[in-house]
Amino acid sequence: MTKKKPKPFPEPPDAVEIASLTPEGRGLAQVDGKSVFLHGALPGERVRFRYTRLRKDRAEGTVEEVLRAAPERVPAPCPHADICGGCSLQHLDPAAQIRWKQEMLEQVLTETGQARPERRLPPLVAAPWGYRRKARLGVRYVAKKGRTLVGFRERGTSYIADLRRCDILHPIVGERIEAIAKLLDGLSIRQRIPQIEMAMGEGPCVLVLRVLEPPSARDIARLTDFGGTCRLHFYVQAGGAETIRPLPGQDVDLYYDLPGADVRLYFQPTDFTQVNPGLNSMMVEQALMLLAPRSDERILDLFCGLGNFTLPIARRAAEVLGVEGDPGLVARARTNAEHNGITNARFVAADLYARSDPQPWASQRFHKALLDPPRSGALQVLELLPALGVERILYVSCYPATLARDADRLVNGLGYRLWAVGVLDMFPHTAHLEAMAVFERG
């Protein structure tokens, strides 16, 4: 059967005006009554573009030429910025990126959440380059190129971007993308490695190779020799997270420090940790300032992970209870408390999205609460907070839509007010938006 050829894209207009920037960081234009989302375009610009996707009610494209540039436009430093999906806003001045994120956050809170903040917190901003110490990179041997590629996916496709370096990754990996690709290209299992996971704290860097068949003795020797030269440690993963193993002589302790709280946290390569340690330290310091725990207060930390906020809070509060759904993270949080000599932090493993099987902690009293949920938000636990006596809530969000939804419930349903909100620039040069919000009763 002959494969049907895709229909060619229509000719785009000579030029379009960009009205605004979408939450994904694309310029929005109108063509014949249809919304067109354009990568590489900024508000106020006039551009030429080509289509990359057509649907009945919308279209997508990429900028071919900027005829009138916005004043905030800057040259993208990365030569791969046009194709790599790791970043989307390198062409926008970093200060303008922050302003846009602040505007997007307040817009979604006001329009979707019906909750207008009383004040805006100063944005938290750290180093814009070399900041990522956690990342998942694709690996693929490409026969047409005759070599292996390592990197993020191309924008809008499943292909691996052909990278030589990556300036948002920590330099120990970012400056060695091409060398790592050549290393994998020389392995007997080069076509059986679909992914690398990078994990790094203050010290060593671990690269976890997802392997579909075991490496040979010669492969192991090549990997360990390379790692010894470049200060990288190789682990392999044959299945789920429980199958992760260091290669011989490669086992290391991963940890990061929170100097302002005198806390060191140890973690496993695939544990959830913040990708940007500099910003994370600033975030924890701001959380302590806003939550303002006192020595006579009991604090509740929901979605606590391995104790990133719990242990610093415990330095100042009478008692902290951390609740987390992943038993492995709970075990490591307890170990971290012991390593830091903290005795007033307790940790409980519980599914915070389950409505049945009430937990004993859910009938206790707490003065304040910190919530750091995943993208799905914290709606299922909000009803508990007034009943527990919580007067102040610090909500750390990685997805503005669910923050807005939850803010609506807290403000318009449960009697809290949105005292303050601010942006956390955890992922510079991307449209990813993180935020911190403070809610108070009365």
PDB file of all heavy atoms in Angstrom, residues 31-35 53-60:
ATOM      1  N   VAL A  31      -3.993  34.991  11.792  1.00  0.00           N
ATOM      2  CA  VAL A  31      -3.977  34.888  10.336  1.00  0.00           C
ATOM      3  C   VAL A  31      -5.333  34.346   9.894  1.00  0.00           C
ATOM      4  O   VAL A  31      -5.701  33.217  10.234  1.00  0.00           O
ATOM      5  CB  VAL A  31      -2.851  33.963   9.830  1.00  0.00           C
ATOM      6  CG1 VAL A  31      -2.914  33.821   8.314  1.00  0.00           C
ATOM      7  CG2 VAL A  31      -1.487  34.496  10.263  1.00  0.00           C
ATOM      8  N   ASP A  32      -6.092  35.171   9.170  1.00  0.00           N
ATOM      9  CA  ASP A  32      -7.417  34.774   8.681  1.00  0.00           C
ATOM     10  C   ASP A  32      -8.306  34.257   9.812  1.00  0.00           C
ATOM     11  O   ASP A  32      -9.009  33.251   9.679  1.00  0.00           O
ATOM     12  CB  ASP A  32      -7.288  33.705   7.594  1.00  0.00           C
ATOM     13  CG  ASP A  32      -6.539  34.210   6.374  1.00  0.00           C
ATOM     14  OD1 ASP A  32      -6.625  35.423   6.091  1.00  0.00           O
ATOM     15  OD2 ASP A  32      -5.840  33.401   5.723  1.00  0.00           O
ATOM     16  N   GLY A  33      -8.257  34.941  10.942  1.00  0.00           N
ATOM     17  CA  GLY A  33      -9.101  34.575  12.075  1.00  0.00           C
ATOM     18  C   GLY A  33      -8.618  33.389  12.871  1.00  0.00           C
ATOM     19  O   GLY A  33      -9.291  32.952  13.816  1.00  0.00           O
ATOM     20  N   LYS A  34      -7.469  32.851  12.522  1.00  0.00           N
ATOM     21  CA  LYS A  34      -6.929  31.680  13.217  1.00  0.00           C
ATOM     22  C   LYS A  34      -5.706  32.088  14.038  1.00  0.00           C
ATOM     23  O   LYS A  34      -4.859  32.855  13.577  1.00  0.00           O
ATOM     24  CB  LYS A  34      -6.538  30.602  12.204  1.00  0.00           C
ATOM     25  CG  LYS A  34      -5.936  29.338  12.835  1.00  0.00           C
ATOM     26  CD  LYS A  34      -5.483  28.348  11.774  1.00  0.00           C
ATOM     27  CE  LYS A  34      -6.685  27.761  11.045  1.00  0.00           C
ATOM     28  NZ  LYS A  34      -6.272  26.656  10.134  1.00  0.00           N
ATOM     29  N   SER A  35      -5.611  31.571  15.272  1.00  0.00           N
ATOM     30  CA  SER A  35      -4.456  31.838  16.114  1.00  0.00           C
ATOM     31  C   SER A  35      -3.252  31.058  15.609  1.00  0.00           C
ATOM     32  O   SER A  35      -3.346  29.860  15.319  1.00  0.00           O
ATOM     33  CB  SER A  35      -4.747  31.447  17.564  1.00  0.00           C
ATOM     34  OG  SER A  35      -5.750  32.273  18.115  1.00  0.00           O
ATOM     35  N   ARG A  53       2.879  23.250  11.801  1.00  0.00           N
ATOM     36  CA  ARG A  53       1.733  22.390  12.102  1.00  0.00           C
ATOM     37  C   ARG A  53       0.452  23.165  11.855  1.00  0.00           C
ATOM     38  O   ARG A  53       0.351  24.354  12.207  1.00  0.00           O
ATOM     39  CB  ARG A  53       1.783  21.897  13.553  1.00  0.00           C
ATOM     40  CG  ARG A  53       0.623  20.973  13.932  1.00  0.00           C
ATOM     41  CD  ARG A  53       0.786  20.434  15.336  1.00  0.00           C
ATOM     42  NE  ARG A  53       1.973  19.589  15.471  1.00  0.00           N
ATOM     43  CZ  ARG A  53       2.337  18.992  16.597  1.00  0.00           C
ATOM     44  NH1 ARG A  53       1.613  19.167  17.691  1.00  0.00           N
ATOM     45  NH2 ARG A  53       3.410  18.241  16.638  1.00  0.00           N
ATOM     46  N   LEU A  54      -0.549  22.491  11.269  1.00  0.00           N
ATOM     47  CA  LEU A  54      -1.853  23.103  11.006  1.00  0.00           C
ATOM     48  C   LEU A  54      -2.960  22.270  11.630  1.00  0.00           C
ATOM     49  O   LEU A  54      -2.967  21.038  11.487  1.00  0.00           O
ATOM     50  CB  LEU A  54      -2.104  23.227   9.506  1.00  0.00           C
ATOM     51  CG  LEU A  54      -1.365  24.333   8.743  1.00  0.00           C
ATOM     52  CD1 LEU A  54      -1.695  24.244   7.268  1.00  0.00           C
ATOM     53  CD2 LEU A  54      -1.756  25.708   9.279  1.00  0.00           C
ATOM     54  N   ARG A  55      -3.873  22.953  12.306  1.00  0.00           N
ATOM     55  CA  ARG A  55      -5.067  22.303  12.823  1.00  0.00           C
ATOM     56  C   ARG A  55      -6.274  23.132  12.391  1.00  0.00           C
ATOM     57  O   ARG A  55      -6.117  24.210  11.828  1.00  0.00           O
ATOM     58  CB  ARG A  55      -4.997  22.188  14.353  1.00  0.00           C
ATOM     59  CG  ARG A  55      -3.829  21.332  14.834  1.00  0.00           C
ATOM     60  CD  ARG A  55      -3.760  21.292  16.333  1.00  0.00           C
ATOM     61  NE  ARG A  55      -2.653  20.471  16.802  1.00  0.00           N
ATOM     62  CZ  ARG A  55      -2.287  20.365  18.072  1.00  0.00           C
ATOM     63  NH1 ARG A  55      -2.946  21.035  18.998  1.00  0.00           N
ATOM     64  NH2 ARG A  55      -1.270  19.593  18.417  1.00  0.00           N
ATOM     65  N   LYS A  56      -7.461  22.638  12.693  1.00  0.00           N
ATOM     66  CA  LYS A  56      -8.662  23.344  12.255  1.00  0.00           C
ATOM     67  C   LYS A  56      -8.758  24.734  12.880  1.00  0.00           C
ATOM     68  O   LYS A  56      -9.165  25.685  12.213  1.00  0.00           O
ATOM     69  CB  LYS A  56      -9.912  22.522  12.615  1.00  0.00           C
ATOM     70  CG  LYS A  56     -10.091  21.277  11.758  1.00  0.00           C
ATOM     71  CD  LYS A  56     -11.390  20.576  12.118  1.00  0.00           C
ATOM     72  CE  LYS A  56     -11.602  19.348  11.233  1.00  0.00           C
ATOM     73  NZ  LYS A  56     -12.869  18.644  11.572  1.00  0.00           N
ATOM     74  N   ASP A  57      -8.444  24.827  14.167  1.00  0.00           N
ATOM     75  CA  ASP A  57      -8.671  26.084  14.877  1.00  0.00           C
ATOM     76  C   ASP A  57      -7.404  26.850  15.206  1.00  0.00           C
ATOM     77  O   ASP A  57      -7.465  27.938  15.776  1.00  0.00           O
ATOM     78  CB  ASP A  57      -9.430  25.807  16.175  1.00  0.00           C
ATOM     79  CG  ASP A  57      -8.668  24.849  17.086  1.00  0.00           C
ATOM     80  OD1 ASP A  57      -7.776  24.134  16.594  1.00  0.00           O
ATOM     81  OD2 ASP A  57      -8.965  24.822  18.297  1.00  0.00           O
ATOM     82  N   ARG A  58      -6.235  26.298  14.864  1.00  0.00           N
ATOM     83  CA  ARG A  58      -4.992  26.953  15.232  1.00  0.00           C
ATOM     84  C   ARG A  58      -3.857  26.439  14.355  1.00  0.00           C
ATOM     85  O   ARG A  58      -4.024  25.456  13.624  1.00  0.00           O
ATOM     86  CB  ARG A  58      -4.640  26.701  16.698  1.00  0.00           C
ATOM     87  CG  ARG A  58      -4.582  25.210  17.040  1.00  0.00           C
ATOM     88  CD  ARG A  58      -4.339  24.967  18.505  1.00  0.00           C
ATOM     89  NE  ARG A  58      -2.955  25.204  18.869  1.00  0.00           N
ATOM     90  CZ  ARG A  58      -2.474  25.084  20.104  1.00  0.00           C
ATOM     91  NH1 ARG A  58      -3.291  24.776  21.101  1.00  0.00           N
ATOM     92  NH2 ARG A  58      -1.212  25.289  20.367  1.00  0.00           N
ATOM     93  N   ALA A  59      -2.738  27.126  14.422  1.00  0.00           N
ATOM     94  CA  ALA A  59      -1.561  26.706  13.661  1.00  0.00           C
ATOM     95  C   ALA A  59      -0.312  27.017  14.471  1.00  0.00           C
ATOM     96  O   ALA A  59      -0.341  27.820  15.413  1.00  0.00           O
ATOM     97  CB  ALA A  59      -1.515  27.411  12.301  1.00  0.00           C
ATOM     98  N   GLU A  60       0.781  26.367  14.111  1.00  0.00           N
ATOM     99  CA  GLU A  60       2.057  26.601  14.768  1.00  0.00           C
ATOM    100  C   GLU A  60       3.108  26.884  13.704  1.00  0.00           C
ATOM    101  O   GLU A  60       2.979  26.450  12.555  1.00  0.00           O
ATOM    102  CB  GLU A  60       2.460  25.390  15.609  1.00  0.00           C
ATOM    103  CG  GLU A  60       1.483  25.079  16.728  1.00  0.00           C
ATOM    104  CD  GLU A  60       1.829  23.802  17.465  1.00  0.00           C
ATOM    105  OE1 GLU A  60       3.009  23.377  17.393  1.00  0.00           O
ATOM    106  OE2 GLU A  60       0.934  23.238  18.121  1.00  0.00           O
TER     107      GLU A  60
END
